[in-house]
Amino acid sequence: MAKDQKEKNEQVEDLKEEVVEEVLEKTEAAPEKSELDLAKERADDFENKYLRAVAEMQNIQRRSNEERQSLQKYRSQDLAKAILPSLDNLERALAVDGLTDDVKKGLEMVQESLVHALKDEGIEEIPAEVGGDFDHNFHMAIQTVPADEEHAADTIAQVFQKGYKLHERVLRPAMVVVYN
Amino acid sequence: MAKDQKEKNEQVEDLKEEVVEEVLEKTEAAPEKSELDLAKERADDFENKYLRAVAEMQNIQRRSNEERQSLQKYRSQDLAKAILPSLDNLERALAVDGLTDDVKKGLEMVQESLVHALKDEGIEEIPAEVGGDFDHNFHMAIQTVPADEEHAADTIAQVFQKGYKLHERVLRPAMVVVYN
């Protein structure tokens, strides 16, 4: 009798399962639930993709702005570098003995207008003077001479060629002789 | 009897409706379907936003590249313009009578190195010669003289000041006197 009852219970359980399955199939609750999950996943997926795209877009814009500012700031670098030898030549021409006043005046005018044009674009001579401190960031030692009581080590003994910088960037270091 | 049958039919119909409603409520098919619609809408919405963001990102990148290329191409414009008066002064200095060979050589060296530096950055003299055709895109007429049998209208009678261009962009037109 207990066994019969158990069997009967099992039959009822099986029947219940069948009914539940049938109802679920009929109402399509199961596939609908799965479709919902898929739709939710798709929504989450595109939300993530969208947020990443927005972040990436902001990065691109930021980098592009930085790059533009840098290009703008240093745009004259190459032309300025190429012009420096002309300035050197002008200075050498001005150092020649026996120039007439007219020629000297003309040369000085050219020199001034060049220096002025460079200054307008942020290019300036690097300070370097005899007796001043040697700074390896802005000066290049092309020769050394022994320091003595009157000349401290790491001071400039002679300026060979002027140096120039564009904003804080060195276009060409000043070539100097240093006491050491 | 027909009336009874009709009533019975109506009752059955009502019952059917009740059962359908109950089943739908129990399986929560109706609210689930609405949730599904919402999820699908959300997915579509973010897909659209994502696609628009990607398109916008590509636009930003394209514009940024174009801008960078333009900045790069015309970067030397301001410094070059500022240097042109120095070139003019050099030419005037070279035209002075009685220069010693040394001075002349020095001036020519400065002039050549300037022209060379400008050329490297894409800056060149605008062609303009006496007898050549006047081109209002590149030449500026500062004066006119009457054309005659030997001098056709719209040809250049004299070049007052050289013009320069950076790639295809005019930095300064050539100042000329024109027959007309």
Side-chain angles (χ1 to χ4, degrees):
Chain A
M1 181 65 182
K3 202 186 168 190
D4 276 0
Q5 183 61 41
K6 203 187 166 193
E7 260 182 19
K8 220 175 177 178
N9 280 348
E10 279 178 3
Q11 276 173 359
V12 166
E13 282 304 315
D14 285 350
L15 199 66
K16 265 193 194 168
E17 267 180 33
E18 266 176 54
V19 167
V20 164
E21 264 177 31
E22 214 170 319
V23 165
L24 285 175
E25 254 176 60
K26 290 241 167 88
T27 56
E28 294 183 353
E32 250 181 30
K33 199 162 187 188
S34 164
E35 205 184 337
L36 174 62
D37 283 347
L38 286 173
K40 280 181 172 172
E41 271 172 31
R42 204 177 135 243
D44 288 348
D45 188 37
F46 276 120
E47 181 173 18
N48 282 332
K49 279 181 174 171
Y50 166 65
L51 292 174
R52 275 202 303 270
V54 168
E56 177 68 7
M57 193 151 63
Q58 286 166 344
N59 271 336
I60 289 174
Q61 237 156 357
R62 187 180 44 73
R63 277 200 307 266
S64 153
N65 282 341
E66 286 171 1
E67 210 180 351
R68 189 172 49 234
Q69 278 170 13
S70 174
L71 270 177
Q72 197 69 14
K73 192 173 178 186
Y74 299 114
R75 58 184 181 163
S76 299
Q77 181 170 314
D78 288 2
L79 180 52
K81 262 188 187 171
I83 282 169
L84 298 183
S86 309
L87 258 186
D88 298 336
N89 284 333
L90 265 176
E91 271 163 34
R92 260 175 236 129
L94 270 164
V96 169
D97 281 338
L99 294 178
T100 66
D101 279 355
D102 272 2
V103 170
K104 201 170 180 181
K105 222 173 177 177
L107 287 176
E108 279 169 354
M109 237 171 93
V110 176
Q111 187 189 30
E112 271 164 34
S113 65
L114 269 185
V115 167
H116 187 74
L118 290 169
K119 200 166 190 169
D120 274 353
E121 285 290 301
I123 297 126
E124 286 187 78
E125 196 183 318
I126 289 174
E129 50 176 5
V130 173
D133 286 336
F134 173 78
D135 181 345
H136 71 277
N137 292 310
F138 293 106
H139 307 139
M140 185 182 273
I142 52 167
Q143 207 184 317
T144 59
V145 287
D148 55 31
E149 282 180 359
E150 281 175 27
H151 305 98
D154 288 326
T155 60
I156 295 169
Q158 194 184 336
V159 179
F160 248 65
Q161 193 185 49
K162 286 181 179 175
Y164 292 90
K165 58 183 177 178
L166 169 56
H167 301 295
E168 79 293 347
R169 195 182 277 183
V170 173
L171 289 180
R172 183 175 90 179
M175 307 292 186
V176 298
V177 178
V178 190
Y179 288 112
N180 90 337
Chain B
M1 180 66 184
K3 198 185 170 191
D4 277 0
Q5 185 59 39
K6 203 186 165 195
E7 258 182 19
K8 220 175 176 180
N9 280 350
E10 281 178 1
Q11 276 173 359
V12 166
E13 282 303 315
D14 285 351
L15 199 65
K16 266 194 194 168
E17 267 180 33
E18 267 177 51
V19 167
V20 166
E21 264 177 32
E22 213 170 318
V23 166
L24 284 175
E25 254 176 60
K26 289 244 166 88
T27 57
E28 293 182 354
E32 251 181 28
K33 199 161 186 186
S34 165
E35 203 183 338
L36 175 62
D37 284 346
L38 286 173
K40 280 181 173 172
E41 272 173 29
R42 203 176 136 244
D44 288 348
D45 188 37
F46 276 120
E47 182 174 17
N48 283 333
K49 279 183 174 170
Y50 166 66
L51 292 174
R52 275 202 302 271
V54 168
E56 178 67 10
M57 192 152 61
Q58 287 166 345
N59 271 336
I60 289 174
Q61 236 156 357
R62 189 181 42 73
R63 277 200 306 268
S64 152
N65 281 341
E66 285 171 2
E67 207 180 354
R68 189 173 48 233
Q69 278 170 15
S70 174
L71 270 176
Q72 195 69 14
K73 193 172 177 186
Y74 299 114
R75 59 182 180 162
S76 299
Q77 181 169 314
D78 288 2
L79 180 52
K81 261 189 185 169
I83 283 169
L84 298 182
S86 309
L87 260 186
D88 298 336
N89 284 334
L90 264 177
E91 271 162 34
R92 261 175 237 130
L94 271 164
V96 169
D97 281 337
L99 293 178
T100 65
D101 280 354
D102 273 2
V103 169
K104 202 170 181 181
K105 222 173 177 177
L107 286 177
E108 279 170 352
M109 237 170 92
V110 175
Q111 186 190 31
E112 272 164 34
S113 66
L114 269 183
V115 168
H116 187 75
L118 290 169
K119 201 167 191 169
D120 275 353
E121 286 290 301
I123 298 126
E124 287 186 78
E125 195 183 319
I126 289 174
E129 49 176 6
V130 173
D133 285 338
F134 173 77
D135 181 345
H136 71 275
N137 292 309
F138 294 107
H139 308 138
M140 185 182 272
I142 53 167
Q143 206 184 317
T144 59
V145 288
D148 56 33
E149 282 179 358
E150 283 175 25
H151 304 99
D154 287 327
T155 59
I156 295 169
Q158 193 186 335
V159 180
F160 248 66
Q161 193 186 49
K162 287 181 180 175
Y164 292 89
K165 58 183 176 178
L166 169 55
H167 301 295
E168 78 292 347
R169 196 182 277 182
V170 173
L171 289 181
R172 184 176 90 180
M175 306 293 184
V176 298
V177 179
V178 190
Y179 288 111
N180 90 339

